[in-house]
Amino acid sequence: MIFYELYLRSFYDSNDDGLGDFLGLKNKLDYLCNLGIDYVWLLPIMKSPAFHGYTVSDFYEVNPVYGTLEHLKNTLKEGHEKGLKFVLDLPINHVAVSSEWFQKALKGEEPYKNWFIWANEKADLDEIRHWDDSKIWQKIGDKYFYGIFGPASPDLNFENPELWNEIKKIFKFWLETGFDGFRLDAAKHIFDFDIEEMHFKYQHEKNVEFWKEMTKYIKSIKEDAIVISEVWDAPEIVRKYEGIFDIGFNFPIAEDLKMTLKKESPSEFNKTLIKCIPEYLPDGKVLSKSGNFLTNHDMTRILSDLKDEEKVKLGFSILYTLPGVPFIYYGEETGMKGIPKDVNFTEDSQEPFHWYENGFGPGQTEWKGYKFNPPYSGESVEEQKKDKNSILNTVKSLISFRKNNLWLENAKVEILNFDENVVELRGYDQLHEIIAYYNLKSSISSFFLQNGQELLSIGNNYIENNVISLAPFGVHIIKKK
């Protein structure tokens, strides 16, 4: 499985209003198919006052800037006919202030007033969340509501069973609309507040029970629906949720792999595998597949982070040769740049996708100015297609390699060797075996190759008499004979 995270507003515009939309996606399904994508993960497309869509005002309506529900259904239907599947990003732990649910709750209407958490005499109105100095209590009129993600996002109170039933209706609605699964935003935040003591507290056991019931329900509606969780935390926390979801995002490997590339350190690479994907090491056991990625919509784009196209290619090469499920964020395949201010201000990592080198043309979205990706910056599809060594063509080659070796998704891995320059990685199952060589340094490394058939070579690598000169940040993969 190859996943593509897509921000619709920035992708392709079908009606010349400067905003990407459902029919624009329909017009560009072939681009995704030619890239080799299997699943399109759509960031929230429900009705929302926010550009990013993560504060939902109506879970049963599409955002009108993207078109109509019929436009969406037609797009999903045509995508299915082309072999694509679609995953919907559903942020259910909070709503928008403009949500009918919250507006009725403010008026004291049943059952909505009990669907939110309101401050009482026990509440410390100055309590801040643990990752920054933002307050968790938000004032509106003469009331204070709990909003861990800020004043635009009233948190829902899942202590109420009727709310669980409402969430099930939402899942059912979107599955019947044509989606093939869900990406579950902020999965550890369903129960993150102690209602008795009135303070912030992760309650992972309650979260686990909630998601067990929801995933069981989702699969009762659509047996092959795929469910992906976002638990952004340390490995020991992430593992509390293993086995509930089909795929769990592996934030630790994303962060550690990028740091390894920055340090150009084979020893750090070895530590990263042991720490972040132990379930794929020889004695490990996979409960939920590892969702492997380099960046997403909340993070600095990979080229802005690594500042070196060859390192970016190496990062993708590692991603597509490791077990688990690879994800790519739209525009990373063409080398888009972007540095969000923080997780509350992510516009700068969600700039318009460039189809044309001059930045303008039919279907080009223009909802935001080009702060990080100006015209003639070389990261358009038009320009990248011309260069066989471009990031785009490298990613296409890697996806093609991956799809020719589908067994890698469930493979075991082990580090055979590493020195100050090169990592030698073995991937295998009962029927297959490959050896991957990664040069983590900015200088050429020469060594004897094991006997085998060449499957993939990234970089200006040179082989003579079974000795390879591996290019700086180059990759060479062989199939063992």
Side-chain angles (χ1 to χ4, degrees):
M1 294 182 286
I2 307 293
F3 282 78
Y4 189 88
E5 180 188 358
L6 179 59
Y7 179 50
L8 194 62
R9 183 182 293 248
S10 287
F11 198 56
Y12 196 83
D13 172 22
S14 72
N15 61 357
D16 298 326
D17 65 356
L19 302 175
D21 47 46
F22 297 131
L23 295 183
L25 171 57
K26 184 178 177 181
N27 289 338
K28 285 298 180 180
L29 291 173
D30 284 341
Y31 169 79
L32 299 172
C33 291
N34 292 333
L35 188 59
I37 301 304
D38 298 310
Y39 280 84
V40 180
W41 156 25
L42 281 175
L43 295 183
I45 47 84
M46 292 75 70
K47 190 174 181 181
S48 170
F51 82 93
H52 48 67
Y54 278 95
T55 50
V56 177
S57 54
D58 193 322
F59 284 104
Y60 299 99
E61 288 189 29
V62 297
N63 193 326
V65 302
Y66 294 144
T68 67
L69 186 62
E70 286 305 308
H71 291 157
L72 171 62
K73 288 180 177 179
N74 289 337
T75 298
L76 299 181
K77 181 175 181 291
E78 185 160 327
H80 287 151
E81 290 171 355
K82 293 177 181 290
L84 291 168
K85 293 187 176 183
F86 298 86
V87 166
L88 177 63
D89 199 320
L90 258 183
I92 63 164
N93 84 300
H94 58 260
V95 298
V97 169
S98 58
S99 162
E100 182 181 15
W101 295 359
F102 187 67
Q103 288 301 310
K104 287 184 175 181
L106 284 172
K107 297 174 185 176
E109 294 186 28
E110 298 282 358
Y112 306 102
K113 69 178 184 179
N114 298 318
W115 287 12
F116 299 90
I117 299 172
W118 308 96
N120 60 24
E121 64 280 359
K122 286 186 179 181
D124 176 4
L125 298 180
D126 293 320
E127 184 178 351
I128 60 174
R129 59 192 187 189
H130 64 87
W131 62 84
D132 64 14
D133 293 330
S134 298
K135 290 185 177 183
I136 67 172
W137 291 105
Q138 318 298 338
K139 188 175 183 180
I140 186 165
D142 61 351
K143 297 181 174 71
Y144 284 86
F145 65 86
Y146 175 63
I148 192 67
F149 292 112
S153 308
D155 277 63
L156 290 167
N157 181 8
F158 285 95
E159 299 288 350
N160 293 284
E162 67 266 25
L163 187 54
W164 291 39
N165 292 329
E166 187 67 34
I167 297 302
K168 288 178 180 178
K169 292 178 185 177
I170 294 168
F171 285 131
K172 186 174 188 288
F173 176 83
W174 290 109
L175 288 172
E176 292 178 345
T177 296
F179 280 96
D180 303 288
F182 301 100
R183 180 266 190 184
L184 304 171
D185 181 64
K188 69 177 182 178
H189 285 280
I190 298 301
F191 289 94
D192 64 7
F193 189 83
D194 187 327
I195 203 76
E196 297 297 327
E197 297 298 325
M198 292 299 287
H199 65 78
F200 176 88
K201 180 183 179 183
Y202 285 123
Q203 299 175 81
H204 297 296
E205 294 77 13
K206 284 187 175 183
N207 288 331
V208 165
E209 290 307 308
F210 174 84
W211 287 122
K212 280 182 178 179
E213 182 164 333
M214 292 301 151
T215 54
K216 181 180 178 181
Y217 178 77
I218 289 167
K219 291 180 183 291
S220 75
I221 302 295
K222 186 177 178 63
E223 186 178 359
D224 62 348
I226 196 156
V227 184
I228 307 164
S229 70
E230 184 214 30
V231 180
W232 193 341
D233 214 315
E236 61 271 18
I237 300 300
V238 174
R239 292 190 183 106
K240 291 179 182 289
Y241 295 83
E242 285 185 342
I244 306 171
F245 310 103
D246 299 297
I247 301 171
F249 280 124
N250 197 330
F251 283 89
I253 202 171
E255 299 294 350
D256 285 15
L257 184 54
K258 285 182 287 190
M259 187 57 63
T260 294
L261 293 169
K262 290 175 186 177
K263 292 181 178 180
E264 302 180 14
S265 172
S267 63
E268 288 294 325
F269 182 89
N270 186 45
K271 293 176 184 177
T272 293
L273 292 193
I274 294 170
K275 170 187 172 186
C276 299
I277 56 168
E279 64 270 36
Y280 294 100
L281 299 181
D283 297 324
K285 182 179 180 181
V286 177
L287 299 176
S288 296
K289 291 183 180 180
S290 176
N292 301 331
F293 63 99
L294 295 174
T295 63
N296 66 20
H297 57 282
D298 285 327
M299 304 164 79
T300 296
R301 285 190 174 272
I302 190 63
L303 188 54
S304 292
D305 201 0
L306 299 183
K307 301 178 176 61
D308 186 311
E309 287 194 9
E310 299 309 310
K311 281 188 178 182
V312 169
K313 293 177 191 177
L314 174 57
F316 281 125
S317 298
I318 294 170
L319 202 70
Y320 285 96
T321 51
L322 287 178
V325 181
F327 287 72
I328 187 169
Y329 181 39
Y330 87 95
E332 299 291 56
E333 79 273 22
T334 61
M336 281 183 66
K337 303 181 186 71
I339 305 174
K341 181 179 178 182
D342 57 40
V343 293
N344 298 312
F345 301 94
T346 60
E347 298 95 320
D348 287 343
S349 67
Q350 295 174 271
E351 289 196 355
F353 184 77
H354 277 204
W355 297 99
Y356 312 101
E357 188 59 11
N358 70 359
F360 302 92
Q364 180 64 55
T365 60
E366 298 182 35
W367 73 274
K368 180 185 182 299
Y370 299 129
K371 182 175 179 181
F372 287 93
N373 302 281
Y376 306 108
S377 57
E379 45 69 44
S380 67
V381 172
E382 181 181 53
E383 191 69 15
Q384 290 269 314
K385 286 168 67 175
K386 299 176 184 177
D387 179 4
K388 68 177 184 179
N389 295 316
S390 67
I391 295 176
L392 176 60
N393 283 321
T394 299
V395 169
K396 288 182 72 172
S397 296
L398 288 164
I399 292 176
S400 177
F401 162 80
R402 181 70 175 216
K403 300 192 87 167
N404 288 329
N405 294 275
L406 295 176
W407 62 272
L408 278 170
E409 187 171 302
N410 302 303
K412 293 293 186 180
V413 292
E414 61 177 327
I415 301 287
L416 295 181
N417 189 33
F418 65 88
D419 56 24
E420 67 273 11
N421 297 316
V422 175
V423 171
E424 182 181 0
L425 180 79
R426 176 184 178 231
Y428 64 96
D429 66 7
Q430 291 183 333
L431 300 175
H432 309 88
E433 183 177 7
I434 63 167
I435 305 296
Y437 300 92
Y438 311 118
N439 184 1
L440 270 65
K441 295 293 185 180
S442 56
S443 56
I444 295 173
S445 294
S446 298
F447 51 89
F448 281 102
L449 280 174
Q450 292 196 40
N451 290 326
Q453 173 192 349
E454 180 182 315
L455 295 181
L456 182 71
S457 198
I458 304 293
N460 295 319
N461 305 321
Y462 177 74
I463 302 174
E464 185 175 12
N465 297 327
N466 218 38
V467 173
I468 184 170
S469 295
L470 196 58
F473 309 120
V475 177
H476 191 78
I477 299 175
I478 62 171
K479 176 182 179 181
K480 283 298 294 292
K481 290 182 178 177

